[in-house]
Amino acid sequence: MITIKNGLVLTGFNLEPKKTNIVIDDDGTIIKISPHHQEGEIIDATGCIVMPAFINAHTHIGDAIAKDVGDGLPIDELVAPPNGLKHQKLREATDQQLIDAMHDAAKEMVLNGISTFIDFREGGLKGIELLKKAVYDLPINACILGRSDKYYDPDVTMDEIRDITRELLQHCDGIGLSGVEDIDAEVMLQIADICNQEDKLAMIHVAEYGALQEQSVQETNQTEVERALRSGFTSLVHVTYPIMQDLDLLASSSPFIIACPRSNGMLGVGIPPVSAYVEEKIDVALGTDNVMFNMPDMFREMEYTLKAVRGAYQNKITAYDVVKMATITGFKILGKDISIQEGNVSDILVIKQKSEDPYLSIVNRSSPEDIVHFIMGNQM
């Protein structure tokens, strides 16, 4: 039994700040939220914010093998399959080098208050197993989205696609595809259909930059957003460059959007219109994307998101919005409610409070060094 006392607790799904105590049983369940109740070991959170832990909703952790290579290259030369620079580096690396690089990146996430990450894992079954080996001894949840090179084979049959996808899903949590332009439309349909049947995640990179959208409209008379949603994908990564009727379609379809603003900024492809998505009540989570050119640090991601989006769109996205993207909304993608309320199992951070506004304190002023306690109650 643990009691976290005297902290400013961000409670419930809406992260409402309350000065109260939290009592957690040995199974990680929150059994009492009360300013007057305490049992067991006491953690004094005076002067601290108590909040749900972070989820990094989009990573390519294998790219840790190639940190800071290729800076300034066009995005397709860097990351486009199968021969982008990152793919070359992945092929050149030994299994142990990949395991060690992924282990270090995952450990860094733990130190940054991240309890869970969703990873696009290249390399088929072998790639999935390498990531499992990399994180087996770390207190972090890896949601692994697999991918097969056969998805890009022009001669593959749809029966083969379905068999390959079913086999992958026996070993991972879903499928993560590189992009709409990289893969045949029927292959996309088959993959999304199998994932939805088996209640697994189906994610795809969409509308990361303008040229992709223009090419999609020219070739198919549809945007990448349209094509992904009509194929059955309910989680879209990036959506940095919505055009035409995309915003209306997103609002009516209500997919999850996983925005990666620092990645988009580093690659010079724009700033995702996160504030427009928030205004339309579309669920947005945050991811740090490729470890190749970004530290997997949600504090940095939150601060960049708040300031870059405000600067680019001159609107009123708030620190509260951003904290929710980095915590509650990201876990919704996994069907999990880790909000701090009685009866829930939650991963909890205790962070020094540095200003009167708790959300701005987290987004604008906090860093990993401000984490006082990290309680992992939620194990996948």
Side-chain angles (χ1 to χ4, degrees):
M1 197 82 71
I2 295 173
T3 298
I4 304 173
K5 64 180 293 185
N6 300 328
L8 183 65
V9 184
L10 303 187
T11 61
F13 191 79
N14 291 319
L15 301 174
E16 182 182 353
K18 294 181 180 179
K19 200 78 172 179
T20 189
N21 298 346
I22 309 171
V23 182
I24 306 167
D25 71 12
D26 294 336
D27 296 324
T29 302
I30 299 168
I31 59 172
K32 194 73 175 176
I33 297 177
S34 166
H36 309 296
H37 199 86
Q38 61 183 61
E39 295 181 53
E41 178 187 349
I42 304 298
I43 294 175
D44 188 354
T46 301
C48 295
I49 299 165
V50 183
M51 62 177 289
F54 300 123
I55 177 171
N56 192 344
H58 182 60
T59 65
H60 293 268
I61 193 173
D63 296 3
I65 199 69
K67 292 176 181 174
D68 296 332
V69 303
D71 183 46
L73 289 177
I75 185 172
D76 55 344
E77 292 183 29
L78 274 173
V79 298
N83 294 314
L85 181 58
K86 66 165 271 182
H87 299 280
Q88 297 174 37
K89 294 295 184 181
L90 287 170
R91 287 193 292 268
E92 292 168 1
T94 67
D95 290 354
Q96 193 58 51
Q97 286 172 328
L98 283 169
I99 290 170
D100 290 344
M102 291 191 291
H103 181 275
D104 289 346
K107 184 177 180 181
E108 188 172 11
M109 283 194 270
V110 174
L111 296 174
N112 279 271
I114 297 166
S115 75
T116 303
F117 66 100
I118 303 175
D119 191 71
F120 274 38
R121 186 80 275 269
E122 295 92 346
L125 291 173
K126 181 180 178 182
I128 293 166
E129 292 307 312
L130 290 179
L131 179 49
K132 289 180 178 179
K133 289 179 180 179
V135 300
Y136 85 96
D137 64 341
L138 293 172
I140 194 166
N141 297 316
C143 176
I144 304 174
L145 306 185
R147 182 194 303 175
S148 170
D149 290 342
K150 291 290 286 183
Y151 289 158
Y152 306 99
D153 183 348
D155 298 319
V156 71
T157 68
M158 292 308 109
D159 285 342
E160 289 176 311
I161 289 294
R162 295 179 75 85
D163 289 343
I164 290 166
T165 302
R166 287 193 180 98
E167 183 180 16
L168 283 173
L169 293 179
Q170 292 177 29
H171 302 273
C172 64
D173 304 291
I175 302 296
L177 296 182
S178 57
V180 173
E181 291 297 329
D182 301 327
I183 198 162
D184 181 81
E186 184 61 28
V187 173
M188 288 171 54
L189 279 166
Q190 297 297 330
I191 291 169
D193 183 55
I194 294 294
C195 289
N196 291 332
Q197 284 181 27
E198 299 196 12
D199 198 26
K200 298 274 189 166
L201 293 177
M203 286 193 186
I204 189 167
H205 297 84
V206 169
E208 187 169 1
Y209 54 99
L212 290 175
Q213 287 278 64
E214 293 166 9
Q215 180 181 344
S216 180
V217 172
Q218 288 172 3
E219 293 179 352
T220 70
N221 203 33
Q222 297 178 71
T223 68
E224 287 203 334
V225 171
E226 287 182 271
R227 292 163 68 186
L229 291 174
R230 289 178 179 178
S231 295
F233 289 84
T234 56
S235 296
L236 311 181
V237 179
H238 293 306
V239 202
T240 312
Y241 200 83
I243 59 174
M244 298 165 55
Q245 72 277 25
D246 281 347
L247 190 58
D248 290 339
L249 185 59
L250 290 163
S252 62
S253 301
S254 298
F256 289 102
I257 293 175
I258 301 94
C260 307
R262 276 193 307 149
S263 172
N264 297 155
M266 188 67 177
L267 293 170
V269 298
I271 303 298
V274 171
S275 50
Y277 300 144
V278 171
E279 187 174 341
E280 293 291 336
K281 296 182 169 51
I282 300 166
D283 283 324
V284 182
L286 292 180
T288 61
D289 204 4
N290 301 64
V291 182
M292 184 178 184
F293 38 76
N294 269 333
M295 286 180 62
D297 183 334
M298 294 302 290
F299 289 105
R300 289 189 179 196
E301 198 68 42
M302 288 188 297
E303 183 176 13
Y304 184 91
T305 298
L306 178 66
K307 295 175 180 179
V309 171
R310 280 190 179 182
Y313 300 103
Q314 299 179 7
N315 47 30
K316 295 182 179 179
I317 187 171
T318 68
Y320 165 79
D321 297 326
V322 174
V323 172
K324 199 167 182 182
M325 291 173 200
T327 56
I328 298 294
T329 307
F331 279 98
K332 279 181 67 178
I333 296 170
L334 306 182
K336 291 183 177 292
D337 177 4
I338 67 153
S339 61
I340 297 176
Q341 54 186 313
E342 291 179 4
N344 272 9
V345 176
S346 184
D347 305 327
I348 294 175
L349 293 176
V350 181
I351 299 179
K352 294 176 186 176
Q353 184 169 357
K354 294 190 163 184
S355 66
E356 185 174 342
D357 184 310
Y359 313 112
L360 277 170
S361 177
I362 294 163
V363 172
N364 204 34
R365 303 193 181 276
S366 295
S367 67
E369 290 74 21
D370 296 311
I371 298 172
V372 179
H373 292 282
F374 186 177
I375 300 167
M376 280 281 290
N378 184 32
Q379 293 289 338
M380 289 175 67

